[in-house]
Amino acid sequence: MCNLYANVTAQEEMRRLFAVPPARDRLGNAAPQPAIFPRHDAPVVRLTPEGAREMLAMQWGFALPQVSKRTGRPILPKAVTNARDDRLAASPFWRDSFETRRCLAPASAFCEPKGRAPAVYHWFGLTAETREARAPFAMAAIWRRWRGEMRGEAIDLEQYAIITTRPNPLVARVHPARMPVILDPDAHETWLTGSAEAAQRLLRPYPEARMRELRRGEGAREDRPGAP
């Protein structure tokens, strides 16, 4: 999966879709996001310590500390945005979050670029009644709290990463390796509250027949004009 997706779903609609009461909506006045990049803040739905659903903004990408090969000094941490489904249980980087801190990442489209100079951006989403409609969905994700240094400042923030799996035939024509795990609404509760084994069974490609290519073009924003 590319490091780019969109979420233009209205805030009230997100609360309804993900069963989040207004009192536990911590987004403030959330604007539509036609282009979400790594290190950007975007909505997620998770459980409170009491087991209730809440919606809030987190930074996309788990920070991975790095040092300069030339000086050996710390540099800007890498944002690891995607976690492979076949490494969640085995990798120490992901395991604890997968077992104890799963969340939903609301979206209306995700992007896979192809080629260079210029790249063509292929945006995918769910089938809808009209060409212009953007059906909302949730991607499987995990989260954590991270404390460290970024650009010379002490940082204490919450971050999320999106789970990827092998692509279905529609996405594989553009990106033959990975696509995000899209969850049906009846799987949201299992992803948030179920055992690691139950959650692992949800990690599979979304059916091609229920998806479509929304548009393709040179712009890295989903709301820009383009084919198809």
Side-chain angles (χ1 to χ4, degrees):
M1 173 187 165
C2 168
N3 289 322
L4 177 60
Y5 72 100
N7 179 30
V8 298
T9 308
Q11 190 168 350
E12 184 176 350
E13 179 69 358
M14 284 194 286
R15 289 199 298 263
R16 185 190 68 80
L17 287 171
F18 302 116
V20 176
R24 290 197 291 270
D25 177 357
R26 297 168 50 196
L27 290 178
N29 294 319
Q33 294 178 279
I36 301 171
F37 294 98
R39 298 192 180 93
H40 282 205
D41 288 349
V44 302
V45 176
R46 70 172 181 188
L47 298 180
T48 67
E50 297 73 31
R53 293 190 187 187
E54 67 175 348
M55 189 162 59
L56 70 162
M58 290 188 190
Q59 186 184 83
W60 185 21
F62 279 22
L64 179 63
Q66 299 185 106
V67 297
S68 169
K69 294 180 180 179
R70 183 175 61 85
T71 67
R73 300 180 64 180
I75 58 176
L76 183 69
K78 179 180 180 181
V80 186
T81 56
N82 302 318
R84 289 176 60 106
D85 58 345
D86 55 355
R87 296 178 183 170
L88 286 171
S91 169
F93 191 67
W94 304 118
R95 187 188 305 121
D96 186 55
S97 293
F98 172 59
E99 292 177 351
T100 64
R101 294 185 299 277
R102 296 188 293 270
C103 60
L104 305 172
S108 55
F110 67 91
C111 181
E112 302 290 357
K114 192 170 185 178
R116 294 185 177 182
V120 176
Y121 292 85
H122 296 255
W123 286 90
F124 297 96
L126 304 190
T127 55
E129 294 183 357
T130 67
R131 179 177 177 273
E132 294 75 20
R134 297 294 183 259
F137 57 91
M139 299 182 289
I142 55 180
W143 69 275
R144 71 171 186 180
R145 188 171 185 177
W146 181 76
R147 297 177 178 90
E149 186 174 305
M150 192 176 295
R151 297 188 175 94
E153 295 184 10
I155 298 295
D156 182 348
L157 49 74
E158 292 175 321
Q159 303 168 325
Y160 70 101
I162 293 168
I163 313 303
T164 66
T165 188
R166 63 191 185 280
N168 63 27
L170 174 67
V171 178
R173 289 193 284 270
V174 178
H175 195 300
R178 312 298 293 172
M179 70 174 287
V181 173
I182 297 173
L183 298 171
D184 279 327
D186 60 5
H188 292 174
E189 185 66 15
T190 299
W191 179 253
L192 290 172
T193 66
S195 66
E197 292 76 15
Q200 189 78 47
R201 290 193 288 270
L202 300 174
L203 304 180
R204 55 183 179 266
Y206 202 73
E208 177 187 21
R210 297 167 62 187
M211 291 184 62
R212 58 181 174 148
E213 184 175 0
L214 300 172
R215 79 164 193 88
R216 70 178 74 100
E218 296 180 9
R221 284 169 57 101
E222 203 284 310
D223 59 348
R224 292 185 56 150

